[in-house]
Each structure stands twice: as C-alpha cells, then as structure tokens.
Short mmCIF file of all heavy atoms in Angstrom, two decimals:
data_model
loop_
_atom_site.label_atom_id
_atom_site.label_comp_id
_atom_site.label_asym_id
_atom_site.label_seq_id
_atom_site.Cartn_x
_atom_site.Cartn_y
_atom_site.Cartn_z
N ASP A 1 153.15 162.26 131.32
CA ASP A 1 152.06 162.05 132.17
C ASP A 1 151.74 160.54 132.43
O ASP A 1 151.35 160.19 133.57
CB ASP A 1 150.77 162.61 131.51
CG ASP A 1 150.79 164.15 131.57
OD1 ASP A 1 151.53 164.70 132.48
OD2 ASP A 1 150.14 164.81 130.82
N ALA A 2 151.98 159.77 131.44
CA ALA A 2 151.76 158.26 131.60
C ALA A 2 152.74 157.70 132.61
O ALA A 2 152.48 156.80 133.44
CB ALA A 2 151.90 157.59 130.22
N ILE A 3 154.01 158.18 132.52
CA ILE A 3 155.05 157.68 133.48
C ILE A 3 154.72 158.10 134.91
O ILE A 3 154.78 157.27 135.82
CB ILE A 3 156.37 158.32 133.06
CG1 ILE A 3 156.86 157.71 131.77
CG2 ILE A 3 157.48 157.98 134.13
CD1 ILE A 3 158.06 158.48 131.21
N ILE A 4 154.26 159.35 135.08
CA ILE A 4 153.96 159.86 136.35
C ILE A 4 152.71 159.10 136.96
O ILE A 4 152.66 158.77 138.16
CB ILE A 4 153.74 161.35 136.31
CG1 ILE A 4 155.03 162.07 136.05
CG2 ILE A 4 153.06 161.85 137.63
CD1 ILE A 4 154.84 163.57 135.90
N LYS A 5 151.73 158.90 136.11
CA LYS A 5 150.56 158.16 136.52
C LYS A 5 150.94 156.77 136.89
O LYS A 5 150.39 156.22 137.96
CB LYS A 5 149.54 158.01 135.39
CG LYS A 5 148.22 157.46 135.65
CD LYS A 5 147.18 157.62 134.61
CE LYS A 5 145.88 157.05 134.93
NZ LYS A 5 145.84 155.58 135.15
N SER A 6 151.72 156.09 136.24
CA SER A 6 152.15 154.68 136.65
C SER A 6 153.00 154.64 137.93
O SER A 6 152.71 153.86 138.77
CB SER A 6 153.01 154.11 135.42
OG SER A 6 153.41 152.75 135.73
N LEU A 7 153.89 155.58 138.08
CA LEU A 7 154.65 155.64 139.36
C LEU A 7 153.68 155.96 140.57
O LEU A 7 153.87 155.32 141.60
CB LEU A 7 155.67 156.77 139.21
CG LEU A 7 156.88 156.37 138.47
CD1 LEU A 7 157.80 157.72 138.21
CD2 LEU A 7 157.80 155.29 139.06
N THR A 8 152.78 156.85 140.32
CA THR A 8 151.94 157.24 141.41
C THR A 8 150.97 156.17 141.80
O THR A 8 150.64 155.93 142.94
CB THR A 8 151.02 158.56 140.99
OG1 THR A 8 151.99 159.52 140.77
CG2 THR A 8 150.20 158.97 142.20
N GLU A 9 150.39 155.41 140.80
CA GLU A 9 149.30 154.38 141.07
C GLU A 9 149.83 153.06 141.40
O GLU A 9 149.24 152.28 142.05
CB GLU A 9 148.36 154.38 139.90
CG GLU A 9 147.55 155.66 139.72
CD GLU A 9 146.61 155.61 138.50
OE1 GLU A 9 146.63 154.58 137.79
OE2 GLU A 9 145.87 156.62 138.27
N THR A 10 151.06 152.68 140.79
CA THR A 10 151.56 151.29 140.88
C THR A 10 152.87 151.22 141.55
O THR A 10 153.30 150.14 141.90
CB THR A 10 151.66 150.64 139.55
OG1 THR A 10 152.78 151.19 138.75
CG2 THR A 10 150.36 150.77 138.67
N GLY A 11 153.55 152.41 141.80
CA GLY A 11 154.82 152.36 142.33
C GLY A 11 155.89 151.89 141.29
O GLY A 11 157.11 151.80 141.74
N LYS A 12 155.62 151.68 140.07
CA LYS A 12 156.50 151.32 139.03
C LYS A 12 156.31 152.12 137.81
O LYS A 12 155.24 152.59 137.51
CB LYS A 12 156.30 149.82 138.65
CG LYS A 12 156.48 148.89 139.81
CD LYS A 12 158.00 148.79 140.21
CE LYS A 12 158.14 147.63 141.27
NZ LYS A 12 159.61 147.58 141.72
N GLN A 13 157.41 152.29 137.02
CA GLN A 13 157.29 152.96 135.80
C GLN A 13 156.80 152.03 134.75
O GLN A 13 156.74 150.85 134.96
CB GLN A 13 158.69 153.56 135.45
CG GLN A 13 159.72 152.48 135.18
CD GLN A 13 161.11 153.12 134.77
OE1 GLN A 13 161.29 153.25 133.61
NE2 GLN A 13 161.84 153.40 135.81
N PRO A 14 156.29 152.58 133.63
CA PRO A 14 155.84 151.76 132.54
C PRO A 14 156.97 150.77 132.11
O PRO A 14 158.08 151.07 132.21
CB PRO A 14 155.47 152.68 131.36
CG PRO A 14 155.19 153.89 132.15
CD PRO A 14 156.14 154.04 133.31
N ALA A 15 156.56 149.64 131.60
CA ALA A 15 157.49 148.62 131.07
C ALA A 15 158.44 149.24 130.02
O ALA A 15 159.62 148.79 129.84
CB ALA A 15 156.82 147.45 130.61
N THR A 16 157.91 150.16 129.18
CA THR A 16 158.73 150.71 128.17
C THR A 16 158.60 152.23 128.17
O THR A 16 157.47 152.77 128.28
CB THR A 16 158.19 150.20 126.74
OG1 THR A 16 158.32 148.77 126.75
CG2 THR A 16 159.02 150.86 125.62
N ILE A 17 159.70 152.89 128.04
CA ILE A 17 159.76 154.34 127.94
C ILE A 17 160.48 154.58 126.62
O ILE A 17 161.62 154.33 126.41
CB ILE A 17 160.52 155.01 129.05
CG1 ILE A 17 159.74 154.79 130.40
CG2 ILE A 17 160.73 156.49 128.71
CD1 ILE A 17 160.48 155.42 131.64
N SER A 18 159.65 155.26 125.72
CA SER A 18 160.21 155.34 124.33
C SER A 18 161.09 156.50 124.22
O SER A 18 161.96 156.51 123.31
CB SER A 18 159.00 155.41 123.34
OG SER A 18 158.24 156.51 123.55
N ASN A 19 160.75 157.62 124.93
CA ASN A 19 161.50 158.80 124.72
C ASN A 19 162.85 158.68 125.34
O ASN A 19 163.02 158.50 126.65
CB ASN A 19 160.75 159.92 125.43
CG ASN A 19 161.33 161.32 124.96
OD1 ASN A 19 162.50 161.53 124.95
ND2 ASN A 19 160.37 162.26 124.73
N PRO A 20 163.96 158.77 124.65
CA PRO A 20 165.32 158.59 125.24
C PRO A 20 165.66 159.58 126.34
O PRO A 20 166.55 159.34 127.25
CB PRO A 20 166.34 158.77 124.00
CG PRO A 20 165.49 159.50 122.93
CD PRO A 20 164.06 159.04 123.21
N ALA A 21 165.10 160.77 126.26
CA ALA A 21 165.42 161.78 127.25
C ALA A 21 164.86 161.40 128.66
O ALA A 21 165.31 161.90 129.62
CB ALA A 21 164.88 163.15 126.79
N PHE A 22 163.79 160.67 128.62
CA PHE A 22 163.14 160.31 129.92
C PHE A 22 163.75 159.09 130.56
O PHE A 22 163.57 158.88 131.73
CB PHE A 22 161.64 160.01 129.72
CG PHE A 22 160.82 161.21 129.27
CD1 PHE A 22 159.63 161.14 128.54
CD2 PHE A 22 161.21 162.54 129.76
CE1 PHE A 22 158.84 162.21 128.26
CE2 PHE A 22 160.45 163.64 129.46
CZ PHE A 22 159.27 163.44 128.65
N LYS A 23 164.56 158.32 129.78
CA LYS A 23 165.09 157.07 130.37
C LYS A 23 165.98 157.26 131.54
O LYS A 23 165.94 156.64 132.49
CB LYS A 23 165.75 156.23 129.21
CG LYS A 23 164.59 155.67 128.25
CD LYS A 23 165.29 154.85 127.20
CE LYS A 23 164.22 154.31 126.23
NZ LYS A 23 164.82 153.48 125.07
N PRO A 24 166.99 158.26 131.40
CA PRO A 24 167.87 158.44 132.57
C PRO A 24 167.03 159.11 133.74
O PRO A 24 167.39 159.05 134.85
CB PRO A 24 168.92 159.40 132.05
CG PRO A 24 168.32 159.96 130.80
CD PRO A 24 167.40 159.04 130.21
N LEU A 25 166.13 159.93 133.40
CA LEU A 25 165.37 160.63 134.36
C LEU A 25 164.56 159.66 135.21
O LEU A 25 164.49 159.81 136.57
CB LEU A 25 164.37 161.63 133.76
CG LEU A 25 163.52 162.43 134.67
CD1 LEU A 25 164.42 163.37 135.55
CD2 LEU A 25 162.58 163.32 133.88
N PHE A 26 163.95 158.62 134.60
CA PHE A 26 163.09 157.71 135.35
C PHE A 26 163.83 156.29 135.29
O PHE A 26 163.26 155.37 134.69
CB PHE A 26 161.73 157.59 134.73
CG PHE A 26 160.99 158.87 134.92
CD1 PHE A 26 160.81 159.76 133.87
CD2 PHE A 26 160.41 159.30 136.20
CE1 PHE A 26 160.09 160.90 134.06
CE2 PHE A 26 159.81 160.40 136.40
CZ PHE A 26 159.60 161.27 135.28
N ASN A 27 165.01 156.26 135.83
CA ASN A 27 165.74 154.94 136.06
C ASN A 27 164.95 154.04 136.96
O ASN A 27 164.53 154.48 138.10
CB ASN A 27 167.12 155.23 136.49
CG ASN A 27 167.94 153.95 136.52
OD1 ASN A 27 167.76 153.07 137.37
ND2 ASN A 27 168.90 153.88 135.60
N PRO A 28 164.78 152.75 136.67
CA PRO A 28 163.91 151.90 137.53
C PRO A 28 164.48 151.83 138.98
O PRO A 28 163.75 151.56 139.93
CB PRO A 28 164.12 150.54 136.85
CG PRO A 28 164.32 150.86 135.43
CD PRO A 28 165.19 152.11 135.45
N VAL A 29 165.74 152.08 139.24
CA VAL A 29 166.25 152.02 140.55
C VAL A 29 165.71 153.04 141.47
O VAL A 29 165.68 152.90 142.65
CB VAL A 29 167.89 152.03 140.55
CG1 VAL A 29 168.37 153.54 140.38
CG2 VAL A 29 168.43 151.50 141.89
N ASN A 30 165.14 154.07 140.94
CA ASN A 30 164.47 155.11 141.64
C ASN A 30 163.04 155.02 141.86
O ASN A 30 162.44 155.92 142.40
CB ASN A 30 164.86 156.54 140.93
CG ASN A 30 166.30 156.78 140.93
OD1 ASN A 30 167.11 156.51 141.82
ND2 ASN A 30 166.81 157.28 139.83
N ASP A 31 162.50 154.00 141.33
CA ASP A 31 160.98 153.87 141.39
C ASP A 31 160.50 153.95 142.84
O ASP A 31 159.46 154.65 143.08
CB ASP A 31 160.55 152.46 140.83
CG ASP A 31 160.54 152.37 139.35
OD1 ASP A 31 160.86 153.43 138.78
OD2 ASP A 31 160.26 151.40 138.70
#
C-alpha cells in the first residue's frame, strides 16, 4: 500500500523497498 501510494502521489516508488518479492515488480524504470 505504501508503494502504491507513493507511485500514485509522487510518481516515484519509495526510496527503499524491503520486501524482496516487490523489488522486481516495482523496478524504478517502470515508475
């Protein structure tokens, strides 16, 4: 939810994603 909120409100993902399963899903190149 925090990742989605950041992408929606700022256009960028959070500086740190701790969950390794989410890292490939939310690659910065796709922001």
Side-chain angles (χ1 to χ4, degrees):
D1 286 339
I3 294 169
I4 291 175
K5 184 174 186 292
S6 181
L7 284 167
T8 303
E9 294 182 356
T10 72
K12 299 290 183 181
Q13 62 181 264
T16 302
I17 295 178
S18 61
N19 195 317
F22 291 153
K23 290 180 180 180
L25 182 63
F26 295 104
N27 187 287
V29 77
N30 297 320
D31 282 359

